[in-house]
């Protein structure tokens, strides 16, 4: 059982550490110190739900409906392009970059964005439902594998959200936020392009 748990944790952490839309969003919220705990909980719970769906075998149903994957891909690309445009605009307008200079977003709006970054991203389905779910089927204790994978997600998002606050002193200047938003804009646009071309 321990082997399955460690395998689930290891594979999941390797997949999730790569920068993506969800990670960039959690990082930005952590840096702004804005609704960090609800965002981390939403991301971790969403990943756990999708991982367990994959362990239960939902991946075979998803692969049998290419139309659904296409719709998710186009919707996700449109969402990522809009967010890339917003990040680029923030990068070009340094007067609105520092967290103290912007009013905080409401909890509802923040969680809605968090859910969108999670469920409108086709890569999350590929990583959790299909890949982790498929690997879990090869383990004698697939639910333990899934639990290990879900734990990795929870550990990562907690570290990202909490650790981002330690970077706040480095990002106390507008130019640092300008660079961060420029990087986020490029990452989001790149992910959207990959979805459209993939």
């Amino acid at each position: 059982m321990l082997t399955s748990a460690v395998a689930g944790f290891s594979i999941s952490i390797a997949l999730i550490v790569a920068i993506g839309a969800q990670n960039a969003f959690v990082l930005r919220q952590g840096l702004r110190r804005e609704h960090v705990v609800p965002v981390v909980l939403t991301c971790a719970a969403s990943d756990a739900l999708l991982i367990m769906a994959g362990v239960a075998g939902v991946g075979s149903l998803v692969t049998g409906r290419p139309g659904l994957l296409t719709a998710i891909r186009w919707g996700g690309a449109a969402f990522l392009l809009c967010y890339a445009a917003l990040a680029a605009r923030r990068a070009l307008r340094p007067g609105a970059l520092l967290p103290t200079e912007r009013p905080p977003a409401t909890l509802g709006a923040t969680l809605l964005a968090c859910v969108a970054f999670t469920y409108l991203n086709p890569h999350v389905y590929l990583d959790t439902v299909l890949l982790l779910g498929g690997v879990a089927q090869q383990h004698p204790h697939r639910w333990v594998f899934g639990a290990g994978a879900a734990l990795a997600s929870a550990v990562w998002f907690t570290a990202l959200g909490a650790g981002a606050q330690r970077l706040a002193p480095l990002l106390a200047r507008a130019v640092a936020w300008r660079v961060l938003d420029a990087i986020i804009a490029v990452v989001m646009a790149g992910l959207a392009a990959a979805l459209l071309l993939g």
Side-chain angles (χ1 to χ4, degrees):
M1 285 180 68
L2 182 59
T3 303
S4 292
V6 170
F9 188 96
S10 301
I11 295 172
S12 180
I13 204 77
L15 291 172
I16 203 170
V17 166
I19 188 164
Q22 199 179 36
N23 285 343
F25 180 74
V26 174
L27 177 63
R28 183 164 179 83
Q29 291 304 120
L31 289 169
R32 285 178 54 85
R33 298 180 182 175
E34 190 175 284
H35 310 302
V36 178
V37 172
V39 165
V40 167
L41 289 174
T42 300
C43 289
S46 296
D47 272 12
L49 177 69
L50 292 169
I51 289 167
M52 293 309 158
V55 172
V58 173
S60 59
L61 297 175
V62 175
T63 54
R65 299 185 177 210
L68 177 62
L69 287 176
T70 300
I72 292 171
R73 187 177 83 214
W74 283 93
F79 177 77
L80 292 173
L81 283 173
C82 288
Y83 196 81
L86 290 174
R89 190 173 114 186
R90 286 193 306 266
L92 295 172
R93 295 176 55 200
L97 291 173
L98 294 174
T100 56
E101 295 175 358
R102 290 182 57 209
T106 65
L107 176 60
T110 300
L111 291 182
L112 185 62
C114 184
V115 167
F117 276 117
T118 301
Y119 293 99
L120 288 179
N121 181 3
H123 289 293
V124 77
Y125 298 101
L126 294 174
D127 289 349
T128 57
V129 177
L130 299 178
L131 183 57
L132 288 173
V135 174
Q137 305 306 320
Q138 301 170 17
H139 281 264
H141 304 287
R142 62 182 177 147
W143 292 105
V144 175
F145 176 95
L151 177 62
S153 175
V155 167
W156 171 252
F157 285 121
T158 300
L160 189 60
Q165 294 180 9
R166 294 183 181 270
L167 297 175
L170 298 174
L171 296 168
R173 296 177 298 156
V175 67
W177 279 89
R178 189 175 222 176
V179 169
L180 177 66
D181 275 320
I183 292 170
I184 289 174
V186 169
V187 168
M188 298 300 172
L191 289 171
L195 288 177
L196 293 173
L197 297 174

